Amino acid sequence: MKTNKATILSQQDERLVSSNQIFDGHIMQLYVNQIRLDNEAVVEREIIHHLPAVCVLATDEDKVVLVKQYRAAIAREIYEIPAGLLDMEHDGLEAALVGAKRELEEETAYQASQWHELSTFYVSPGYLDEQITLFHATGLTKIDNPLPQDENENVTVHEFTKHEIQAMIQAGEIVDVKTLLALQHWLFNT
C-alpha cells in the first residue's frame, strides 16, 4: 500500500531504535520495531499499520441497522454496524464523514439527514494502529439507486429493536468490538 512513513505514528516514535518492514499489503503493513523503554531496555514489537476506518451507528426511532457478513479471520458470519476503510484520494484520505456517508449507503442503501461524530478509537493498540471514527446517523431514508457494494463484499441488511439487541448481546451473538461499543451507546445514552 502506498503509505508515507511520516504519517505512521510508530515510525515517528522517539523511542524507535530500528524498524524492519516485513509485509506490505493492500490495507496494512507489518513492521518489527525495536523500541527503547524508559528503563533503557530495548524490546521488540510487532506493529501492524492499518488504514483508518469509519463505522456508523444507524438508528431510526427504536431500530438499529446492522449488516451481516462473513469474516474470514474468524471463519463465520457476524452482525456489525456498517463500516469500512477511508478511501485514498489524489490529495490524501477522504474525510471521515464523507467515508461514513459512503459506507452507510453502499452497505445498507440508506442515507441519513443527521450525523454526529461520537468518538475516535483504536481497535487494539498493543499491536495495531487502526483508528476508527464512530458516527451516529439518524433520519434514515432508504434510497432506490444506492452506491453499489464493494465487489469483495456480500452483506445483508437487518434491523433490530433495543430489546432484540440486548438479547443478542446477552446470547453472545454480537462479537465485534466496534459494534458492541456503538450498541452500548445506543442502549444507554439515547
Side-chain angles (χ1 to χ4, degrees):
M1 92 182 171
K2 294 181 180 178
T3 302
N4 181 347
K5 280 192 174 187
T7 65
I8 302 174
L9 295 175
S10 65
Q11 297 300 305
Q12 307 312 310
D13 189 350
E14 64 185 27
R15 300 170 186 230
L16 183 65
V17 174
S18 66
S19 181
N20 183 23
Q21 185 176 358
I22 303 298
F23 176 77
D24 187 11
H26 296 290
I27 63 169
M28 62 177 241
Q29 296 166 327
L30 173 60
Y31 295 89
V32 177
N33 290 353
Q34 302 294 319
I35 305 294
R36 186 176 314 281
L37 301 179
D38 288 341
N39 66 4
E40 297 301 317
V42 175
V43 296
E44 187 172 273
R45 297 289 188 255
E46 295 171 352
I47 308 282
I48 296 173
H49 170 65
H50 192 283
L51 290 174
V54 290
C55 58
V56 182
L57 172 63
T59 64
D60 227 356
E61 298 177 21
D62 69 336
K63 297 219 175 186
V64 65
V65 178
L66 298 183
V67 295
K68 189 174 187 181
Q69 63 182 315
Y70 179 76
R71 291 300 194 178
I74 59 172
R76 67 185 260 204
E77 285 189 324
I78 61 172
Y79 289 105
E80 300 177 56
I81 58 175
L85 299 175
L86 293 177
D87 285 345
M88 293 296 291
E89 297 179 339
H90 65 280
D91 58 347
L93 284 173
E94 73 182 325
L97 181 57
V98 172
K101 289 179 177 183
R102 176 182 47 75
E103 287 295 336
L104 179 64
E105 185 175 329
E106 284 177 1
E107 293 190 358
T108 69
Y110 277 110
Q111 290 181 346
S113 60
Q114 292 94 37
W115 289 86
H116 297 95
E117 184 175 326
L118 295 178
S119 64
T120 298
F121 56 92
Y122 292 97
V123 177
S124 188
Y127 67 92
L128 175 65
D129 71 355
E130 180 181 18
Q131 186 180 59
I132 298 179
T133 302
L134 169 61
F135 290 90
H136 189 184
T138 56
L140 302 179
T141 303
K142 196 79 153 175
I143 59 172
D144 292 331
N145 296 305
L147 296 170
Q149 284 186 16
D150 291 337
E151 290 180 11
N152 63 353
E153 288 183 325
N154 183 26
V155 302
T156 57
V157 180
H158 304 267
E159 295 181 8
F160 298 100
T161 65
K162 284 186 175 184
H163 179 74
E164 290 169 324
I165 289 297
Q166 288 171 325
M168 291 169 74
I169 290 172
Q170 288 178 336
E173 294 177 43
I174 308 289
V175 297
D176 173 63
V177 71
K178 70 183 177 302
T179 301
L180 284 167
L181 175 71
L183 292 174
Q184 294 294 330
H185 173 82
W186 182 56
L187 291 172
F188 298 111
N189 296 311
T190 59

